[in-house]
Amino acid sequence: MNVCIIVKYAAILGGLTFLCIPIITTLTSPSTSKLPQISKSHSLGSISYFKLLFGSDQKNQLRELRSALFGGYWKYYDHEHTPKDGVSWQLPVDATLLSQSPLWKLINEIIPQTDANGSTEHVDARARVLRRGDNVKIHSSCNEVESGYSVLLFLSQLSDKNDYGEILFFQDDDVHTTIQPVQYGLLVWSCRIPYQFQYPSISTGFGQVLLQITIYNKVDVKPTYLPHTVKHFPVFRGTDAINKTFRAEDHLTSVEYTALHRPIYVLDNLFREDLLSELREHLYLSSQYYYDDSDDAGETDNVQWISGHRTHEFVKSEMWGIVKETLTQITGHADWYPYDVSCNLNRAWDHTRIHKDCYDKDEYTFLLYLNPEFKPGDLGGTVFYEHEDLFNIVSSVQNRYGRVALFHCEIKHAARPPHAYLTNARYSFAVKVARSKLDAVQREMQQSLWNDLDDEEKPEELAKLTEELGSDPDVLEAHFVKYFLEEMEKRHEDLEEALRQAGTG
């Protein structure tokens, strides 16, 4: 059995395609000491910290686990759905699959006093990412009528002594014990003991990745899971009909130009309230995000949480009809087609960067702001710069609910995080368009395929494929989906074999 995670581009292409990665199930039994390096008594139970459970082979497997989790889709719990300890980013792990791993066997050996007897009926298991800015709170994994144990596996290496990331345990409203995280350390505590995470320091650019498991003793109530539904965008299944009297100029608030005469349009009230509400509700409750904290050097946006969506569904929607008609009326060109549809999520402590959306292209980005609670002074807008003078701001667009910034893709710009007092996230919905469907399909193919090649080599591969199949965009799109899914299957098989070998010896 395998632990399944969702691969980003498979979700974009059509249906939620799962890539099953047998990470935990290949973890071989540790051979080192099972004695804790820290052991503390508490009025509600005990706290034990094991720093030396895993040898080098097992650590390599756990490193693969962390990498695989980064390739999965994460759920962001915002507003009233935020978990009680305040850690918003989670990826549920199937406890039944987990129970077949040597890691599960080890856990049951460490806490033999639980009467679960290896059963997963009362187990909650999930990967989590602790980020600076999380609204962390004191919390207990069990209530006063429940009992059991919480297990926390630290999967990140905090590289500096000033990176923070410790976990605090409380007794009588005071700190009882503080544990400093060590990569691959395993922390076990009685689940009634109150705890609180200290999120990483502001100088730490990445999140702290954790695997947290709560094992309840046999009780009448099973663990309660937070809402985590996966469904199609409701707005993506609507009609593409729009009001024939629609005039984009009626919604035009302002327009600014760079020195190269590239435009930045600001439009308000393009979409009906019901369309905005449906889209916003999906992004809040049902959308899943790809996590990237690599902090790549160079001209990237450094947006670490992105939710990609399917262009072939989006073009059937009423929303796309409005987007396309707006582009047509403003630019005078009628054949625009999307190649990238996504939601970007930023919080107050994120570090976004100046970047361009394209190079040497005549394309546009349609950026929709989706925070009705934002008001003037809450920040979270977008700043646009002159091409050769990044100290010269051409325009600063305020984040206003339902507002659109429509701009040429070669204009340098940067998203701004929201105000520090806001604990909820900034949502922006971006549609990047090419001048024709053929251009769009080819752009999407270059973004998604041949990931083992440099960007400079991809056009050559695309030219070969176009020569073979022709330039009909519908044919290319169909081939693209089929080819990509085959590649995903091959990668699955290769990774499965590599992990099977890594678990031996």
Side-chain angles (χ1 to χ4, degrees), residues 215-236:
I215 305 171
Y216 299 87
N217 280 323
K218 291 181 179 179
V219 292
D220 294 333
V221 181
K222 295 182 181 180
T224 300
Y225 293 89
L226 295 168
H228 190 84
T229 57
V230 177
K231 57 183 179 182
H232 296 286
F233 266 80
V235 294
F236 285 4

Side-chain angles (χ1 to χ4, degrees), residues 246-416:
F246 171 81
R247 295 199 317 164
E249 64 182 27
D250 293 341
H251 302 274
L252 186 61
T253 299
S254 66
V255 58
E256 301 283 351
Y257 293 91
T258 68
L260 297 177
H261 206 67
R262 289 171 177 153
I264 305 157
Y265 301 96
V266 177
L267 304 104
D268 288 302
N269 305 313
L270 273 176
F271 300 103
R272 298 191 315 272
E273 177 63 32
D274 62 310
L275 284 178
L276 292 174
S277 296
E278 284 183 324
L279 177 58
R280 184 168 55 89
E281 180 181 3
H282 180 87
L283 295 175
Y284 280 4
L285 300 180
S286 303
S287 202
Q288 295 178 306
Y289 291 81
Y290 174 76
Y291 178 43
D292 178 11
D293 71 350
S294 57
D295 196 29
D296 292 331
E299 203 171 273
T300 64
D301 60 10
N302 204 36
V303 174
Q304 297 183 339
W305 296 98
I306 301 173
S307 177
H309 306 288
R310 287 157 278 192
T311 57
H312 70 276
E313 286 193 356
F314 179 68
V315 295
K316 301 174 184 177
S317 71
E318 181 179 2
M319 179 170 280
W320 167 243
I322 296 172
V323 173
K324 185 176 181 180
E325 185 63 24
T326 300
L327 283 159
T328 299
Q329 291 186 21
I330 286 179
T331 67
H333 179 74
D335 295 329
W336 298 106
Y337 200 87
Y339 64 86
D340 190 320
V341 180
S342 61
C343 177
N344 295 339
L345 190 152
N346 302 105
R347 296 196 301 174
W349 302 100
D350 287 345
H351 178 207
T352 51
R353 289 180 174 151
I354 300 171
H355 66 287
K356 298 196 301 185
D357 287 347
C358 74
Y359 292 85
D360 302 320
K361 300 284 186 180
D362 186 16
E363 300 173 351
Y364 280 81
T365 297
F366 186 99
L367 186 66
L368 172 64
Y369 299 100
L370 286 170
N371 286 89
E373 72 278 16
F374 277 23
K375 58 184 183 297
D378 284 347
L379 305 177
T382 307
V383 180
F384 296 87
Y385 298 85
E386 282 290 2
H387 179 66
E388 299 296 340
D389 183 3
L390 297 184
F391 292 98
N392 187 354
I393 294 176
V394 177
S395 179
S396 182
V397 178
Q398 180 176 305
N399 187 325
R400 180 176 291 176
Y401 183 52
R403 169 166 284 182
V404 168
L406 175 62
F407 55 94
H408 194 279
C409 67
E410 287 203 345
I411 300 176
K412 292 188 176 183
H413 61 285
R416 288 291 188 255

Side-chain angles (χ1 to χ4, degrees), residues 75-122:
K75 173 67 179 150
Y76 179 66
Y77 294 101
D78 204 350
H79 302 292
E80 67 271 19
H81 298 295
T82 301
K84 293 181 179 179
D85 62 6
V87 181
S88 295
W89 291 105
Q90 302 197 19
L91 193 158
V93 174
D94 191 320
T96 302
L97 301 179
L98 178 65
S99 69
Q100 301 170 23
S101 70
L103 178 61
W104 177 257
K105 178 182 178 182
L106 170 67
I107 291 170
N108 277 273
E109 290 175 357
I110 290 175
I111 51 174
Q113 54 268 62
T114 179
D115 61 3
N117 294 324
S119 169
T120 60
E121 184 179 5
H122 304 293

